[in-house]
């Protein structure tokens, strides 16, 4: 492995396995992306005029709080259990696509690697972001997530089968407009290695079907095997 732009290059499965062994020494969380991202910003803080941004107006915490209040008021007929804190409500909203101050991570480097290489190799290199030893949010802070003054780790309850399957965790950001990138380590999976690593991950049982344990995940997984003749 070698350094490039403060990013460590992973060119093979053996180098990835070395990284996995090395990361067992600390409490890491990981995030995989299949394209280069210059910023790690929660969706609620992604402000701009470009296509697909979550916020066209200047960021206001009051609007973020109002959005959660409306979600809580209208989502109750659809939830299977009663959330015990505003942070749990935010996790449910995040899971269903609402812009929140949460950022998705996983405690599994293999899971992050899958999300990094899932469509990379066609579009270019893949990226894995890692952060370590982040303090966990307390129960008291979970009840008032808009009052925290740091970036904290949140392990959500298993509100969906995807959370345990993906070993999902969140970071909760006191200011969702602030770029978290300076706090992370970046690993780059070279374009030429992506397809091979994805195949090995599948052999290890890390694939669309295992990470999305529902009918949609199964259909996408079988479709991928059909596409590449893996029968």
């Amino acid at each position: 492995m070698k350094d490039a732009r403060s990013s460590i290059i992973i060119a093979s499965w053996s180098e990835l396995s070395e990284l996995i062994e090395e990361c067992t020494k600390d409490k890491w969380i990981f995030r995989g992306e299949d394209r280069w991202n210059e910023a790690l910003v929660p969706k609620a803080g992604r402000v701009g005029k470009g296509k697909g941004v979550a916020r066209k107006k200047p960021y206001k915490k009051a609007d973020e709080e109002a959005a959660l209040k409306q979600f809580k008021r209208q989502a109750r007929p659809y939830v299977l259990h009663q959330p015990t804190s505003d942070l749990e409500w935010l996790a449910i909203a995040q899971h269903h696509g609402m812009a929140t101050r949460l950022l998705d991570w996983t405690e599994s480097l293999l899971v992050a690697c899958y999300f990094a290489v899932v469509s990379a190799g066609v579009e270019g290199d893949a990226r894995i972001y890692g952060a370590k030893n982040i303090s966990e949010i307390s129960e008291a802070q979970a009840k008032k997530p808009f009052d925290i003054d740091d970036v904290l780790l949140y392990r959500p309850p298993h509100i969906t089968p995807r959370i345990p399957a993906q070993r999902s965790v969140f970071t909760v950001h006191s200011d969702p407009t602030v770029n978290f990138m300076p706090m992370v380590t970046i690993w780059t999976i070279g374009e030429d290695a992506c397809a091979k690593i994805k195949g090995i991950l599948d052999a290890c049982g890390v694939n669309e079907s295992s990470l999305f344990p529902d009918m949609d995940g199964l259909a996408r997984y079988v479709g991928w095997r059909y596409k590449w003749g893996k029968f």
Side-chain angles (χ1 to χ4, degrees):
M1 292 183 284
K2 58 183 180 179
D3 290 332
R5 287 190 61 201
S6 76
S7 177
I8 302 168
I9 304 296
I10 298 172
S12 67
W13 174 261
S14 61
E15 291 185 351
L16 179 65
S17 65
E18 290 176 10
L19 175 62
I20 294 170
E21 183 176 358
E22 180 67 24
C23 287
T24 60
K25 299 174 183 177
D26 290 290
K27 294 181 179 180
W28 285 89
I29 57 174
F30 307 95
R31 178 180 173 90
E33 297 210 14
D34 59 3
R35 57 185 58 83
W36 177 253
N37 186 0
E38 294 290 351
L40 285 179
V41 177
K43 195 173 180 181
R46 296 176 194 171
V47 179
K49 297 181 179 179
K51 183 178 179 181
V53 297
R55 177 82 176 179
K56 297 290 187 179
K57 301 288 186 179
Y59 170 78
K60 291 182 180 179
K61 186 170 76 168
D63 285 353
E64 192 186 354
E65 292 177 294
L68 179 63
K69 185 176 180 180
Q70 180 174 345
F71 181 81
K72 288 168 61 178
R73 185 172 64 250
Q74 297 181 219
R76 294 184 189 277
Y78 310 112
V79 296
L80 299 178
H81 74 285
Q82 181 64 34
T84 59
S85 68
D86 274 358
L87 188 52
E88 191 172 334
W89 274 111
L90 281 174
I92 293 171
Q94 172 87 358
H95 173 70
H96 289 284
M98 197 176 94
T100 78
R101 59 180 46 212
L102 306 185
L103 198 59
D104 295 275
W105 299 81
T106 174
E107 293 181 297
S108 168
L109 182 51
L110 290 180
V111 171
C113 184
Y114 174 81
F115 284 113
V117 304
V118 62
S119 61
V122 176
E123 300 180 358
D125 295 342
R127 301 291 188 275
I128 298 174
Y129 304 110
K132 63 180 180 179
N133 302 328
I134 300 175
S135 299
E136 290 192 42
I137 197 165
S138 68
E139 289 187 13
Q141 290 169 316
K143 294 182 182 299
K144 295 183 177 181
F146 297 104
D147 292 342
I148 67 170
D149 58 1
D150 202 349
V151 176
L152 299 173
L153 181 67
Y154 173 51
R155 290 187 171 88
H158 294 174
I159 54 180
T160 166
R162 294 181 185 180
I163 286 179
Q166 298 176 12
R167 294 188 62 191
S168 296
V169 295
F170 299 107
T171 46
V172 189
H173 295 248
S174 56
D175 184 348
T177 67
V178 173
N179 186 2
F180 192 55
M181 187 71 81
M183 304 298 294
V184 306
T185 299
I186 304 171
W187 295 280
T188 299
I189 302 176
E191 182 177 354
D192 294 340
C194 289
K196 185 173 183 179
I197 287 176
K198 184 177 179 180
I200 296 173
L201 287 171
D202 178 45
C204 294
V206 181
N207 52 50
E208 197 83 359
S209 179
S210 65
L211 299 180
F212 296 89
D214 53 32
M215 191 70 76
D216 290 340
L218 175 60
R220 289 193 300 268
Y221 174 64
V222 175
W224 173 74
R225 295 187 68 88
Y226 175 77
K227 180 179 181 178
W228 296 103
K230 292 180 176 292
F231 293 106

